[in-house]
Amino acid sequence: MVVSDNLKKSIIDYIACSECQKEFESGMTDSTSLQDYSKLDIGFSDIGLQVWCRRHEINVCHIDFEGNELEADFRCILANSGP
Ligand SMILES: [Zn+2]
């Protein structure tokens, strides 16, 4: 099976809740990174894909697919446990 590069980590720009970011950057959390501090739900909606902050109960990002059926890859690469 050919492993697509799409299954490797390809994130070049992280999506973060602006409120979480403010709180983290002001130093009012014990978290070592914004990723640690964030509590994001990611899922499909009626129009596309939504990122939701569980901590603040606010929308972070809502991508409208505009009725298009986009290609998505739900496979993953698991690390080998053997040599
Ligand atoms: Zn937040």
Side-chain angles (χ1 to χ4, degrees):
M1 185 179 86
V2 176
V3 175
S4 161
D5 276 350
N6 288 345
L7 301 184
K8 297 174 185 164
K9 191 170 187 183
S10 317
I11 296 172
I12 51 173
D13 196 7
Y14 282 92
I15 296 172
C17 166
S18 55
E19 291 303 306
C20 285
Q21 191 164 6
K22 264 189 238 164
E23 291 173 10
F24 176 73
E25 286 174 355
S26 74
M28 58 190 272
T29 80
D30 289 334
S31 298
T32 53
S33 71
L34 180 56
Q35 279 167 300
D36 266 353
Y37 186 60
S38 297
K39 291 186 182 295
L40 299 178
D41 283 335
I42 301 166
F44 292 109
S45 66
D46 282 344
I47 64 160
L49 186 132
Q50 184 172 40
V51 181
W52 181 262
C53 177
R54 240 182 295 150
R55 185 183 301 279
H56 295 103
E57 290 288 318
I58 56 172
N59 176 64
V60 176
C61 178
H62 202 163
I63 302 169
D64 188 345
F65 293 170
E66 298 181 328
N68 296 298
E69 280 192 30
L70 307 181
E71 281 208 27
D73 205 334
F74 286 96
R75 296 172 299 165
C76 65
I77 305 169
L78 298 176
N80 254 338
S81 54

